[in-house]
Amino acid sequence: MIRLQDVTKVYEGGTVAARDVSLDIQRGEFVFLVGASGSGKSTLIRLMLRQEPVTRGNLWVAGKDITKLPDWKVPYLRRSIGTVFQDFKLLPNKTVLENVAFALEVLGRPRGVIKTQVEQVLDLVGLGDKHARFPRQLSGGEQQRVSIARAFVNRPPILLADEPTGNLDPATSVGIMKLLDRINRTGTTIVMATHDHAIVDAMQRRVVALDRGKVVRDQATGRYEAVFMAGAGDRPADAEAPEEAVAPAEAVVRLETGEEE
């Protein structure tokens, strides 16, 4: 689904944000990118979106080598990728329904299809009764739910999330992660950059740790910090990803202020 082969990103001025990164992310996986600020996790998200060009190496997304993709084809690539950001990026003068519908309108979907899909996704994120409200009338958690609904309304095979809980309190973050977990269980591949230790430790999904642009750890079912135990799912950074997507029996999300229902 997503493959990086010796990917390096060097910004103007010589800053190396990604250094010889090689990863294979299988269909249906939920992968956390973790590391300190400046470690390169957000850069990898931007590279996968083709918001930034790769300096060296190759990067495949949804079967396409996007390092060779002409600029005019990039919008078509992004139709297969949902994106969720820390700052929501909602249109302030549009209602919840209009914000979500806009993602389908730009694709030229028929009105009937838009109505049906928007209603379904708003029910999924628990905002069916708030479709007429504007972003300023919503809490931070509700705004992020709208952002997730907009990202998922086209049923993309890939969803990229860059610090989606970064502006939220712990209890609200639990609800957002439960929602992302539910979406992942529909088969959507999710790659999420985060610095939230509690969420990563609770979810027990694949963890890719970065340090100064390099992959220093890749665990099939990991924690934010490395825990080296026999049989704990460790694998070297240069090892291949598992053939099958990681799918633990139940995602348990527990924080001091909230827990899975």
Side-chain angles (χ1 to χ4, degrees):
M1 182 58 66
I2 301 174
R3 184 184 181 198
L4 294 84
Q5 185 177 55
D6 301 321
V7 167
T8 292
K9 173 61 183 179
V10 183
Y11 286 106
E12 264 185 65
T15 300
V16 181
R19 191 188 305 268
D20 299 322
V21 175
S22 292
L23 288 173
D24 279 297
I25 298 172
Q26 303 297 319
R27 184 185 305 274
E29 276 199 279
F30 195 128
V31 181
F32 288 112
L33 303 179
V34 305
S37 296
S39 60
K41 53 188 184 296
S42 292
T43 294
L44 291 187
I45 295 289
R46 289 195 293 271
L47 292 177
M48 293 174 192
L49 272 173
R50 251 296 289 270
Q51 290 181 332
E52 301 277 359
V54 169
T55 304
R56 292 190 302 275
N58 295 92
L59 174 53
W60 289 266
V61 177
K64 301 178 179 63
D65 184 349
I66 67 173
T67 59
K68 300 176 181 178
L69 197 67
D71 288 344
W72 67 271
K73 286 190 175 181
V74 172
Y76 296 95
L77 166 74
R78 291 176 182 163
R79 293 182 180 184
S80 62
I81 305 173
T83 54
V84 182
F85 299 98
Q86 180 175 344
D87 57 353
F88 318 138
K89 297 190 184 300
L90 300 178
L91 300 171
N93 296 321
K94 288 185 179 291
T95 65
V96 167
L97 186 149
E98 291 167 342
N99 263 281
V100 177
F102 185 71
L104 296 177
E105 291 168 355
V106 297
L107 300 179
R109 297 287 190 268
R111 287 185 179 180
V113 171
I114 293 174
K115 182 178 184 297
T116 299
Q117 290 189 212
V118 170
E119 288 177 352
Q120 289 175 348
V121 79
L122 287 180
D123 285 340
L124 173 70
V125 302
L127 291 176
D129 60 342
K130 297 184 178 180
H131 65 275
R133 295 192 183 184
F134 290 90
R136 64 181 178 274
Q137 298 172 311
L138 302 174
S139 68
E142 288 170 337
Q143 289 186 59
Q144 192 60 288
R145 285 176 179 270
V146 178
S147 178
I148 292 170
R150 182 183 57 192
F152 189 59
V153 69
N154 193 39
R155 303 299 192 273
I158 298 169
L159 194 150
L160 304 178
D162 191 3
E163 301 280 6
T165 62
N167 286 336
L168 306 176
D169 63 79
T172 303
S173 296
V174 170
I176 294 300
M177 293 313 302
K178 287 161 67 175
L179 178 56
L180 290 176
D181 177 65
R182 192 180 311 160
I183 288 172
N184 174 241
R185 289 174 185 276
T186 70
T188 300
T189 302
I190 296 181
V191 181
M192 173 175 160
T194 185
H195 63 268
D196 194 319
H197 292 236
I199 282 175
V200 175
D201 291 350
M203 293 284 286
Q204 291 287 291
R205 298 301 185 93
R206 183 177 172 189
V207 176
V208 175
L210 296 158
D211 182 29
R212 289 173 288 184
K214 289 186 68 69
V215 175
V216 295
R217 178 167 54 96
D218 187 349
Q219 291 180 283
T221 52
R223 299 172 65 87
Y224 194 97
E225 302 289 350
V227 178
F228 296 106
M229 298 170 57
D234 298 327
R235 67 174 180 262
D238 59 353
E240 292 186 0
E243 290 299 317
E244 298 297 328
V246 176
E250 284 294 330
V252 181
V253 182
R254 296 183 187 274
L255 299 176
E256 292 180 359
T257 53
E259 62 179 20
E260 180 79 357
E261 296 176 353

